[in-house]
Every structure is written in C-alpha cells, then in structure tokens.
Amino acid sequence: MAIKSDTSNNVFVLGAPSGDAIVADSGVGSRTALSAAGERPPFDTANPFCALSPGSNLIAVLNADSSLGPSALHVYSISRRSWTLVRLQGADQLDPTSFAASLDHDTNVIYAYSKGQVLGLGNLDSENISKVSDSSSITMSWWPAAGNSQPFAGTYNAPVVGQGTNHLHYFNAPGLLAGQAYIFVIHYAWWQPAPQTYGTFLQSPSQTTYIPKSGSAPSDFAYIPDDGVHIYLISTHTNTTATFPGFGVGGAGFRYAATENTLVQLDTGNGNIKTLSVANPDWGAMVVTTLVATDASVAISPATKQETSRAVATGTAVVAGPAAGTTSSNTSGARFAGRGVVVLVLSLMI
C-alpha cells in the first residue's frame, strides 16, 4: 500500500484491499473509489515508493511490483485516472530492499540512495515522468547522480531522506550526531562536506514526508520516528525543528503523506488512516475521533506518553497536550510551531 496527496489536497490511497481510493484530507470520512485502468502495479512489496509530480498531475510509484522491482516505474495520471508502466534501465544499481527516494519538484527527476550512492532516474529534458502519457513508450535510466564523494564512510543500509528547498537531507548516516543530516544539493549534484544541525532529536529508524508548498518547492518536512512518540517538523529555511506529539504508533508498516495543512498516516496492516491537522491554532487539546474502524481495538490503542495520556474507544475524546509546540532552536523558525493537532481515523479495509 502507498499514500500520496495531490495539489488539491486530496489524499490518494493506493493498493488497499478494498481498492484504490481518494480520501479528503479534512478527515470527514469521504472515500471515492478510483479506476484501475491501465498497467496498475499489484502493490505486493514491503516498501513501495510513492511521489507526486505537481506540475504534471502524476503520481509515480516505484518498487510496487515484486516481479519487476526497480526495473519498472508505474505512473498514475490523476486527470485520466489510469496507469502507465515505464521500463527502467540500470536497475541493478538499486537494491529494492534498501533504498530511500525522492522526486525533485523542479526537474521531475527521481533520486534514490542505495548501495552506497545517490542515483538519479531520468533527466530534465526528455526522460522524466512529465513526458509519460497513456500511449507513451518512454524508457528511463538509473545513473550515478553525485558529482563529488559523499562526506561519510561506512555502511548506510537504512537511509532516511527528507526533501526541502531542492536539497536532500540524509539522516541516520554514519558519523552523524543527534539532530544532524548530510545534505545533497540536487541542482548541483553535490554533497555538502559537513553535516547540518536542525535540533537535538535522536537519529533513529524513521520516515519523512515533505509539506507541500503551493507554487514552489517544499521547504519543510516531517521527520517521523518509528516509535510514534514524536513528530519533528523541520524548516530548511531556518534550520530549526518544532517538536509535537506523534501518532502514538509507527514503524515500517506505516506510510506517510501530507497536504499543506495535514499530516496523514496509513496503517498498512489494518487500513486505518489517521490525520494530524497542523492548521488548528489551539494547541491546548488534541481531539481524537474514530470515523470508520474495523473495530474499536484497532482504531487507536490506549497509550501513555510524555505529552499525552490516551484512553480512546470508538467515538471522540479530548486529550491534553502541551501549551505550544516545542522548538529546538532559540529562533521560532519552524512554520508549525504553536499550531494545533487534530487526529482523525478512517479505515479502508472494507
């Protein structure tokens, strides 16, 4: 299963047992089934990559077919409601069990870290997903993307990458201290020689999702550790981090996406979707609502955390939260500092 938002703040859930669907980011419970026309992938892998090309209104899905692995890119046209299969050359350079990828906002080139290097897929001109149509016979190629040596040595088999301001921010790499990342500058194909510090949060198994920004490349992204306790919202303009309570659960079986105002978590085990609204100005309370769940036990499990104490069954509960977002710098740069969180849950396993 995979999840991604479009430029209209619709959330696309792909590969659910009940079929692909659009879910409104407001979490009001709306669900619209999607056509499976064209060469749709089976979503039979553990770690598919899903990205939006905002200028082309296309969703790119990599490693969603175990029989093809990184030799195929499946592209979903939001306007046509159909799938196209793009064959990829040089797929032996990418390990489908260990990679972290991102699609560049400006060039539509996909970048993936795997087997000790940054790889590019496609190019600015003739080979990128903006050229894909239902009748297209385009092929694309993987290629070594870095113009200089990476600034760290050692094994980096579980890469975590955040995208911000046309830079790729690599966490959990060898030699990094808490809150640091190595930066790959996309448009110059260049590794910065020294790490950048964003805060004091621990390097840990995590995922990221960028926060879309209308009309321009995103500058902020969420760093979401697998333990589900916190969410760290990182501003690459100010190099600061705002800390908020997390979804309560997390791990490799979860997928994340974001609209301009909402973070979305998909549980691939039971199909539940949770949304965290970062637009509510009242951070004094967290509202937890079960919209549709397979049963109360899988909606939200009771948990006690440093910030909140949850005791939730089917229905609605108000959960105490901190008075404001905690920022890890002496500046208030992160765009979500002081904003509120509303949690909503929807199940797609129907």
Side-chain angles (χ1 to χ4, degrees), residues 99-121:
F99 73 97
S102 186
L103 188 150
D104 179 44
H105 176 279
D106 293 356
T107 65
N108 282 314
V109 174
I110 293 174
Y111 292 88
Y113 189 97
S114 187
K115 294 186 176 182
Q117 65 175 334
V118 176
L119 300 169
L121 179 62

Side-chain angles (χ1 to χ4, degrees), residues 322-341:
T326 303
T327 306
S328 65
S329 170
N330 57 8
T331 63
S332 59
R335 65 180 282 202
F336 294 105
R339 296 192 179 188
V341 176

Side-chain angles (χ1 to χ4, degrees), residues 293-306:
T294 52
D295 60 63
S297 66
V298 299
I300 300 177
S301 300
T304 300
K305 303 190 302 177
Q306 182 178 352

